[in-house]
Amino acid sequence: MKQIEAVVANVNDLNDGEMRQVSVGETEILLSRIDGKFYAVGAHCTHYGAPLADGVLNGHHVVCPWHNACFDVTTGDQQEPPGLDSLASYEVRIESENVIVSVPEKTTGLQSPTMAQFNPNVDGRTFVILGAGTAGIHAAQALRVAGYQGRIVMITQEDKLPYDRTKLSKGYLTGKASSEEMPLRSPDFFKEHAIEVLLNKQVEQVQTTAKAIAFTDGDSLTYDALLLVTGGKPRQLDIPGADLQNILTLRSFADADRILTSIKQKGQAVVIGSSFIGMETAAGLSQQGLQVTVISPDSVPFKKTLGEKIGKIFQQVHEENGVSFKFGRKAVQFEGSDKVEAVILDNGDRLKADIVIVGIGVQPATDFLKGIDLYPKDGSIVVDEYLRAADGIYAAGDIARYPDWRTSESIRVEHWRVAAQQGRIAAQNMAGKAVKFRGLPFFWTMQFKFSLRYAGHAESWDEIVVDGDLQKQEFIAFYIKNNQVLAVATSHRDRETAAISELMRLNQKPTVDELRRGTVDLIQRSP
């Protein structure tokens, strides 16, 4: 392929450990200097295209400023999700004091990772991935990257290949993302790498002692190793009228399509629950022109996750965009003939409703399992630090209860990126490696124009230290417990978010006293 090249810098322009974005023709490149040597890779994150030069460089490791994907700048290899591709790597040479980069005339700036080819003569085993969400697709790819050459079977009850579930509420529902943008990989990818995907398959039972899966259509499948990534199923309301039409949840592509079909006539929407999915759905429906009311037993959104002050910012943003709230209330009945027409609250209020979205959380989809003891409080699967539930059985994502390496507490985290991280690690261990899960939880939400990112995990806290201005939506909030930073919530502080995430991953967090004094420069402090 024809190459084009250009002088992109002088050798004295960058010190060791520095990076910058440069261009060769129309190709944008991330140029870095590591241990005296220059490297050039694609300039934009392979997830949503964030400029990596705005992130943080630690050794060979660059952290994306948007959603914390990580790449090796010397090779382009992806080290942490989200996203499934690596960065393209380009040739660099030095002439006199000029740094010259050569790139193909046509390049996307990304490259697929190197993967082993299916060869049943070399490896006759069958590895099954039960579930086709983000944990499932990351696991399937990671198995091939790890060198596994046996059979891979991915099973889903949906009629679609793995897709970006986060876009359902953040983009697809608002019309900002089309159905063509949703798939995480093309059909050709699965064919090329011999990853079988069984669509529309409903599991009746998994017999772990027999290593067998029974389906509701009478089919069965045996396996040598099994990864359980079935995710969560939406909780439903058990109240009169709950079987009326247009009472919906948002978890799957089909759910989103049903909602979009139901709102063509606009009208009144009621969202039950101020969870993240509930609030994102409320924002999406409001942007589609509906009058939206949110019913919640809480006093403010996200109080248990983010604290009252940040929760009130979300409330304020929604109210400024026409969303109404009924706090401290519960729905006790739905009224209507065939379709829902009204929601009755516990105080007797009657809210007109053309559509109702129930967003009161999810529960682990594990009721089909036989032979594994489930966590009694929520039905999740208890795994060890290798994400192993039993011999030859692993679990990842929403259903996995795992030991937090920072606190040793047993936790379950319902974050899309955590599922991707765990899918990769579980797959490596299925393939014969011994990799402990030491990922740092991370999630993001966008509601109207208010964007928030969250790193770490804090189920409770003693104190929240805020750097910045909450009302201006430009801040970092540090969640402190036992004099340790357990989590941060940030808005419009992207590079510092990448920096503190990296410090937390390395367990090099600033002290609480430093945070209280406001003397920490996270960019300078980052490794």
Side-chain angles (χ1 to χ4, degrees):
M1 183 180 294
K2 183 179 178 181
Q3 299 278 315
I4 58 175
E5 62 179 39
V7 175
V8 296
N10 183 280
V11 292
N12 297 312
D13 288 344
L14 290 180
N15 296 318
D16 271 346
E18 292 184 343
M19 61 181 177
R20 68 165 57 167
Q21 184 171 308
V22 297
S23 295
V24 175
E26 296 182 357
T27 301
E28 295 178 327
I29 292 164
L30 183 70
L31 182 71
S32 59
R33 181 172 178 170
I34 310 294
D35 296 330
K37 187 175 180 180
F38 286 87
Y39 298 90
V41 295
H44 297 276
C45 179
T46 61
H47 179 221
Y48 284 172
L52 292 172
D54 291 345
V56 169
L57 181 62
N58 173 29
H60 297 182
H61 181 90
V62 63
V63 183
C64 173
W66 288 2
H67 305 126
N68 274 35
C70 302
F71 303 89
D72 186 330
V73 295
T74 67
T75 63
D77 292 342
Q78 188 193 50
Q79 297 175 315
E80 288 277 0
L84 287 156
D85 286 310
S86 296
L87 302 171
S89 180
Y90 305 116
E91 180 185 343
V92 181
R93 72 178 192 275
I94 307 298
E95 289 187 2
S96 299
E97 293 191 341
N98 293 323
V99 181
I100 301 171
V101 176
S102 299
V103 303
E105 188 174 32
K106 294 182 179 179
T107 177
T108 60
L110 54 82
Q111 61 183 356
S112 293
T114 302
M115 288 179 264
Q117 294 299 309
F118 172 56
N119 189 338
N121 295 321
V122 173
D123 193 332
R125 294 176 295 172
T126 296
F127 285 1
V128 171
I129 300 170
L130 187 50
T134 185
I137 180 59
H138 279 83
Q141 177 171 299
L143 281 172
R144 292 287 186 237
V145 171
Y148 173 69
Q149 293 183 272
R151 185 185 181 197
I152 300 175
V153 182
M154 183 183 295
I155 301 167
T156 175
Q157 62 184 0
E158 296 191 50
D159 62 355
K160 289 181 170 54
L161 293 172
Y163 55 88
D164 189 341
R165 196 180 302 275
T166 65
K167 285 184 178 178
L168 290 176
S169 57
K170 293 177 172 69
Y172 188 62
L173 200 62
T174 63
K176 296 177 182 177
S178 67
S179 58
E180 290 76 18
E181 298 174 69
M182 300 294 285
L184 292 169
R185 285 297 194 193
S186 70
D188 289 343
F189 171 87
F190 295 94
K191 293 178 183 177
E192 179 183 352
H193 299 290
I195 299 169
E196 302 173 46
V197 184
L198 305 184
L199 303 175
N200 298 305
K201 295 292 280 187
Q202 186 75 39
V203 173
E204 181 175 357
Q205 190 176 94
V206 174
Q207 285 284 359
T208 57
T209 53
K211 293 190 173 182
I213 301 172
F215 299 96
T216 55
D217 61 6
D219 289 345
S220 62
L221 178 67
T222 59
Y223 59 85
D224 294 285
L226 173 65
L227 174 59
L228 298 164
V229 287
T230 46
K233 54 184 180 181
R235 297 182 185 276
Q236 304 288 346
L237 282 176
D238 185 16
I239 60 176
D243 57 348
L244 291 170
Q245 294 179 38
N246 282 10
I247 299 175
L248 306 171
T249 58
L250 178 56
R251 180 71 180 176
S252 68
F253 215 129
D255 291 339
D257 283 339
R258 279 191 286 268
I259 292 171
L260 290 173
T261 298
S262 300
I263 64 174
K264 288 182 179 179
Q265 302 304 316
K266 308 304 179 186
Q268 303 284 330
V270 172
V271 175
I272 299 178
S274 56
S275 63
F276 280 99
I277 192 67
M279 292 287 283
E280 287 180 356
T281 301
L285 294 177
S286 177
Q287 290 173 84
Q288 288 278 18
L290 282 81
Q291 294 295 316
V292 181
T293 301
V294 176
I295 302 169
S296 174
D298 301 325
S299 60
V300 65
F302 313 133
K303 183 177 180 179
K304 295 178 182 178
T305 305
L306 301 173
E308 184 172 4
K309 291 182 179 179
I310 294 178
K312 284 187 174 180
I313 297 174
F314 278 99
Q315 178 184 344
Q316 177 182 331
V317 167
H318 275 255
E319 289 175 339
E320 288 172 350
N321 285 275
V323 176
S324 301
F325 289 91
K326 296 287 186 179
F327 288 119
R329 301 267 68 93
K330 293 182 179 180
V332 296
Q333 182 179 346
F334 297 118
E335 290 184 346
S337 49
D338 295 324
K339 295 182 180 180
V340 67
E341 297 174 8
V343 181
I344 308 302
L345 304 187
D346 54 356
N347 65 348
D349 285 355
R350 184 178 188 275
L351 303 180
K352 182 180 177 181
D354 300 296
I355 183 173
V356 172
I357 308 298
V358 179
I360 56 175
V362 300
Q363 61 189 71
T366 56
D367 49 5
F368 54 84
L369 287 172
K370 302 297 179 183
I372 289 183
D373 292 332
L374 302 177
Y375 190 71
K377 289 185 177 180
D378 60 8
S380 58
I381 301 171
V382 179
V383 298
D384 62 16
E385 57 193 350
Y386 300 97
L387 302 177
R388 181 175 49 215
D391 183 33
I393 301 176
Y394 297 80
D398 291 1
I399 64 174
R401 180 168 293 276
Y402 65 95
D404 186 345
W405 62 270
R406 301 177 306 152
T407 65
S408 298
E409 294 178 353
S410 176
I411 63 173
R412 186 172 70 86
V413 177
E414 298 173 359
H415 298 339
W416 194 77
R417 181 175 180 265
V418 170
Q421 291 173 301
Q422 291 184 341
R424 286 164 56 108
I425 297 300
Q428 292 177 48
N429 292 326
M430 292 171 73
K433 300 180 184 295
V435 183
K436 296 178 181 181
F437 180 67
R438 288 178 59 87
L440 181 74
F442 180 91
F443 74 86
W444 70 95
T445 186
M446 170 68 81
Q447 298 175 31
F448 298 104
K449 294 184 179 181
F450 181 28
S451 172
L452 181 130
R453 293 170 172 78
Y454 182 100
H457 182 76
E459 295 186 0
S460 63
W461 53 85
D462 303 323
E463 177 184 5
I464 301 175
V465 177
V466 176
D467 178 80
D469 191 319
L470 292 177
Q471 286 304 313
K472 291 182 179 179
Q473 299 170 22
E474 186 273 318
F475 61 83
I476 302 179
F478 298 87
Y479 295 79
I480 313 297
K481 187 171 184 178
N482 297 329
N483 219 35
Q484 294 290 324
V485 177
L486 293 185
V488 295
T490 75
S491 184
H492 294 101
R493 300 279 287 271
D494 290 351
R495 193 173 183 210
E496 289 163 289
T497 304
I500 187 60
S501 298
E502 186 70 355
L503 288 167
M504 293 171 71
R505 183 184 72 86
L506 297 171
N507 206 23
Q508 297 178 12
K509 304 179 292 292
T511 68
V512 175
D513 286 342
E514 289 175 315
L515 295 174
R516 289 182 183 133
R517 293 196 302 267
T519 58
V520 179
D521 185 327
L522 293 174
I523 304 301
Q524 293 296 323
R525 182 71 170 266
S526 60

PDB file of all heavy atoms in Angstrom, residues 29-47:
ATOM      1  N   ILE A  29      -2.379  11.696  14.244  1.00  0.00           N
ATOM      2  CA  ILE A  29      -1.491  10.727  14.880  1.00  0.00           C
ATOM      3  C   ILE A  29      -1.184  11.166  16.297  1.00  0.00           C
ATOM      4  O   ILE A  29      -1.048  12.367  16.572  1.00  0.00           O
ATOM      5  CB  ILE A  29      -0.174  10.616  14.071  1.00  0.00           C
ATOM      6  CG1 ILE A  29      -0.455   9.973  12.713  1.00  0.00           C
ATOM      7  CG2 ILE A  29       0.897   9.821  14.818  1.00  0.00           C
ATOM      8  CD1 ILE A  29       0.673  10.163  11.731  1.00  0.00           C
ATOM      9  N   LEU A  30      -1.058  10.186  17.195  1.00  0.00           N
ATOM     10  CA  LEU A  30      -0.578  10.450  18.546  1.00  0.00           C
ATOM     11  C   LEU A  30       0.913  10.126  18.563  1.00  0.00           C
ATOM     12  O   LEU A  30       1.313   8.970  18.408  1.00  0.00           O
ATOM     13  CB  LEU A  30      -1.319   9.589  19.566  1.00  0.00           C
ATOM     14  CG  LEU A  30      -0.923   9.846  21.026  1.00  0.00           C
ATOM     15  CD1 LEU A  30      -1.416  11.219  21.482  1.00  0.00           C
ATOM     16  CD2 LEU A  30      -1.472   8.752  21.937  1.00  0.00           C
ATOM     17  N   LEU A  31       1.710  11.157  18.750  1.00  0.00           N
ATOM     18  CA  LEU A  31       3.169  11.004  18.804  1.00  0.00           C
ATOM     19  C   LEU A  31       3.608  11.049  20.264  1.00  0.00           C
ATOM     20  O   LEU A  31       3.193  11.929  21.019  1.00  0.00           O
ATOM     21  CB  LEU A  31       3.852  12.134  18.021  1.00  0.00           C
ATOM     22  CG  LEU A  31       5.376  12.084  17.944  1.00  0.00           C
ATOM     23  CD1 LEU A  31       5.840  10.954  17.041  1.00  0.00           C
ATOM     24  CD2 LEU A  31       5.927  13.430  17.449  1.00  0.00           C
ATOM     25  N   SER A  32       4.415  10.095  20.657  1.00  0.00           N
ATOM     26  CA  SER A  32       4.895  10.069  22.043  1.00  0.00           C
ATOM     27  C   SER A  32       6.387   9.764  22.066  1.00  0.00           C
ATOM     28  O   SER A  32       6.960   9.213  21.112  1.00  0.00           O
ATOM     29  CB  SER A  32       4.137   9.016  22.862  1.00  0.00           C
ATOM     30  OG  SER A  32       4.290   7.734  22.297  1.00  0.00           O
ATOM     31  N   ARG A  33       7.022  10.138  23.179  1.00  0.00           N
ATOM     32  CA  ARG A  33       8.445   9.851  23.367  1.00  0.00           C
ATOM     33  C   ARG A  33       8.578   9.064  24.669  1.00  0.00           C
ATOM     34  O   ARG A  33       8.232   9.558  25.750  1.00  0.00           O
ATOM     35  CB  ARG A  33       9.260  11.143  23.428  1.00  0.00           C
ATOM     36  CG  ARG A  33      10.762  10.892  23.588  1.00  0.00           C
ATOM     37  CD  ARG A  33      11.555  12.182  23.443  1.00  0.00           C
ATOM     38  NE  ARG A  33      12.980  11.950  23.637  1.00  0.00           N
ATOM     39  CZ  ARG A  33      13.933  12.847  23.389  1.00  0.00           C
ATOM     40  NH1 ARG A  33      13.603  14.061  22.946  1.00  0.00           N
ATOM     41  NH2 ARG A  33      15.202  12.561  23.592  1.00  0.00           N
ATOM     42  N   ILE A  34       9.086   7.841  24.553  1.00  0.00           N
ATOM     43  CA  ILE A  34       9.231   6.945  25.692  1.00  0.00           C
ATOM     44  C   ILE A  34      10.680   6.448  25.743  1.00  0.00           C
ATOM     45  O   ILE A  34      11.153   5.839  24.776  1.00  0.00           O
ATOM     46  CB  ILE A  34       8.272   5.729  25.581  1.00  0.00           C
ATOM     47  CG1 ILE A  34       6.836   6.183  25.288  1.00  0.00           C
ATOM     48  CG2 ILE A  34       8.346   4.870  26.837  1.00  0.00           C
ATOM     49  CD1 ILE A  34       6.184   6.956  26.383  1.00  0.00           C
ATOM     50  N   ASP A  35      11.367   6.731  26.840  1.00  0.00           N
ATOM     51  CA  ASP A  35      12.762   6.290  27.009  1.00  0.00           C
ATOM     52  C   ASP A  35      13.633   6.682  25.825  1.00  0.00           C
ATOM     53  O   ASP A  35      14.445   5.895  25.323  1.00  0.00           O
ATOM     54  CB  ASP A  35      12.813   4.772  27.217  1.00  0.00           C
ATOM     55  CG  ASP A  35      12.113   4.330  28.488  1.00  0.00           C
ATOM     56  OD1 ASP A  35      12.094   5.122  29.455  1.00  0.00           O
ATOM     57  OD2 ASP A  35      11.571   3.210  28.515  1.00  0.00           O
ATOM     58  N   GLY A  36      13.424   7.904  25.349  1.00  0.00           N
ATOM     59  CA  GLY A  36      14.255   8.440  24.284  1.00  0.00           C
ATOM     60  C   GLY A  36      13.851   8.039  22.884  1.00  0.00           C
ATOM     61  O   GLY A  36      14.462   8.489  21.906  1.00  0.00           O
ATOM     62  N   LYS A  37      12.833   7.206  22.739  1.00  0.00           N
ATOM     63  CA  LYS A  37      12.413   6.740  21.418  1.00  0.00           C
ATOM     64  C   LYS A  37      11.016   7.276  21.107  1.00  0.00           C
ATOM     65  O   LYS A  37      10.167   7.369  21.982  1.00  0.00           O
ATOM     66  CB  LYS A  37      12.410   5.214  21.375  1.00  0.00           C
ATOM     67  CG  LYS A  37      12.145   4.634  19.995  1.00  0.00           C
ATOM     68  CD  LYS A  37      12.280   3.110  19.998  1.00  0.00           C
ATOM     69  CE  LYS A  37      12.013   2.553  18.606  1.00  0.00           C
ATOM     70  NZ  LYS A  37      12.148   1.062  18.569  1.00  0.00           N
ATOM     71  N   PHE A  38      10.791   7.604  19.824  1.00  0.00           N
ATOM     72  CA  PHE A  38       9.505   8.145  19.392  1.00  0.00           C
ATOM     73  C   PHE A  38       8.606   7.025  18.848  1.00  0.00           C
ATOM     74  O   PHE A  38       9.080   6.107  18.174  1.00  0.00           O
ATOM     75  CB  PHE A  38       9.698   9.207  18.307  1.00  0.00           C
ATOM     76  CG  PHE A  38      10.233  10.509  18.834  1.00  0.00           C
ATOM     77  CD1 PHE A  38      11.603  10.712  18.959  1.00  0.00           C
ATOM     78  CD2 PHE A  38       9.378  11.518  19.230  1.00  0.00           C
ATOM     79  CE1 PHE A  38      12.104  11.907  19.448  1.00  0.00           C
ATOM     80  CE2 PHE A  38       9.869  12.723  19.732  1.00  0.00           C
ATOM     81  CZ  PHE A  38      11.242  12.914  19.838  1.00  0.00           C
ATOM     82  N   TYR A  39       7.302   7.160  19.154  1.00  0.00           N
ATOM     83  CA  TYR A  39       6.318   6.201  18.681  1.00  0.00           C
ATOM     84  C   TYR A  39       5.125   6.957  18.104  1.00  0.00           C
ATOM     85  O   TYR A  39       4.791   8.059  18.561  1.00  0.00           O
ATOM     86  CB  TYR A  39       5.841   5.306  19.824  1.00  0.00           C
ATOM     87  CG  TYR A  39       6.939   4.468  20.434  1.00  0.00           C
ATOM     88  CD1 TYR A  39       7.681   4.948  21.511  1.00  0.00           C
ATOM     89  CD2 TYR A  39       7.242   3.208  19.925  1.00  0.00           C
ATOM     90  CE1 TYR A  39       8.700   4.189  22.074  1.00  0.00           C
ATOM     91  CE2 TYR A  39       8.261   2.434  20.482  1.00  0.00           C
ATOM     92  CZ  TYR A  39       8.982   2.931  21.549  1.00  0.00           C
ATOM     93  OH  TYR A  39       9.992   2.177  22.095  1.00  0.00           O
ATOM     94  N   ALA A  40       4.476   6.348  17.103  1.00  0.00           N
ATOM     95  CA  ALA A  40       3.310   6.972  16.470  1.00  0.00           C
ATOM     96  C   ALA A  40       2.189   5.947  16.337  1.00  0.00           C
ATOM     97  O   ALA A  40       2.400   4.846  15.805  1.00  0.00           O
ATOM     98  CB  ALA A  40       3.675   7.521  15.101  1.00  0.00           C
ATOM     99  N   VAL A  41       1.025   6.296  16.831  1.00  0.00           N
ATOM    100  CA  VAL A  41      -0.156   5.429  16.742  1.00  0.00           C
ATOM    101  C   VAL A  41      -1.359   6.288  16.375  1.00  0.00           C
ATOM    102  O   VAL A  41      -1.269   7.519  16.310  1.00  0.00           O
ATOM    103  CB  VAL A  41      -0.427   4.696  18.084  1.00  0.00           C
ATOM    104  CG1 VAL A  41       0.705   3.734  18.407  1.00  0.00           C
ATOM    105  CG2 VAL A  41      -0.642   5.693  19.227  1.00  0.00           C
ATOM    106  N   GLY A  42      -2.489   5.649  16.133  1.00  0.00           N
ATOM    107  CA  GLY A  42      -3.714   6.394  15.862  1.00  0.00           C
ATOM    108  C   GLY A  42      -4.017   7.377  16.974  1.00  0.00           C
ATOM    109  O   GLY A  42      -3.795   7.094  18.159  1.00  0.00           O
ATOM    110  N   ALA A  43      -4.557   8.529  16.613  1.00  0.00           N
ATOM    111  CA  ALA A  43      -4.726   9.618  17.580  1.00  0.00           C
ATOM    112  C   ALA A  43      -6.016   9.535  18.377  1.00  0.00           C
ATOM    113  O   ALA A  43      -6.153  10.216  19.400  1.00  0.00           O
ATOM    114  CB  ALA A  43      -4.674  10.963  16.856  1.00  0.00           C
ATOM    115  N   HIS A  44      -6.949   8.683  17.940  1.00  0.00           N
ATOM    116  CA  HIS A  44      -8.279   8.715  18.549  1.00  0.00           C
ATOM    117  C   HIS A  44      -8.647   7.347  19.132  1.00  0.00           C
ATOM    118  O   HIS A  44      -8.370   6.302  18.544  1.00  0.00           O
ATOM    119  CB  HIS A  44      -9.325   9.140  17.519  1.00  0.00           C
ATOM    120  CG  HIS A  44      -9.104  10.534  17.018  1.00  0.00           C
ATOM    121  ND1 HIS A  44      -9.565  11.648  17.685  1.00  0.00           N
ATOM    122  CD2 HIS A  44      -8.432  10.998  15.928  1.00  0.00           C
ATOM    123  CE1 HIS A  44      -9.203  12.733  17.024  1.00  0.00           C
ATOM    124  NE2 HIS A  44      -8.512  12.370  15.954  1.00  0.00           N
ATOM    125  N   CYS A  45      -9.288   7.394  20.280  1.00  0.00           N
ATOM    126  CA  CYS A  45      -9.733   6.179  20.955  1.00  0.00           C
ATOM    127  C   CYS A  45     -10.624   5.367  20.016  1.00  0.00           C
ATOM    128  O   CYS A  45     -11.471   5.918  19.302  1.00  0.00           O
ATOM    129  CB  CYS A  45     -10.491   6.539  22.231  1.00  0.00           C
ATOM    130  SG  CYS A  45     -11.109   5.097  23.152  1.00  0.00           S
ATOM    131  N   THR A  46     -10.453   4.056  20.040  1.00  0.00           N
ATOM    132  CA  THR A  46     -11.220   3.189  19.148  1.00  0.00           C
ATOM    133  C   THR A  46     -12.641   2.958  19.635  1.00  0.00           C
ATOM    134  O   THR A  46     -13.420   2.281  18.964  1.00  0.00           O
ATOM    135  CB  THR A  46     -10.505   1.835  18.980  1.00  0.00           C
ATOM    136  OG1 THR A  46     -10.401   1.189  20.255  1.00  0.00           O
ATOM    137  CG2 THR A  46      -9.102   2.036  18.419  1.00  0.00           C
ATOM    138  N   HIS A  47     -12.994   3.508  20.791  1.00  0.00           N
ATOM    139  CA  HIS A  47     -14.355   3.378  21.301  1.00  0.00           C
ATOM    140  C   HIS A  47     -15.256   4.416  20.647  1.00  0.00           C
ATOM    141  O   HIS A  47     -15.995   4.106  19.724  1.00  0.00           O
ATOM    142  CB  HIS A  47     -14.348   3.531  22.827  1.00  0.00           C
ATOM    143  CG  HIS A  47     -15.687   3.447  23.470  1.00  0.00           C
ATOM    144  ND1 HIS A  47     -16.063   4.292  24.502  1.00  0.00           N
ATOM    145  CD2 HIS A  47     -16.748   2.643  23.243  1.00  0.00           C
ATOM    146  CE1 HIS A  47     -17.302   3.987  24.870  1.00  0.00           C
ATOM    147  NE2 HIS A  47     -17.734   2.994  24.134  1.00  0.00           N
TER     148      HIS A  47
END
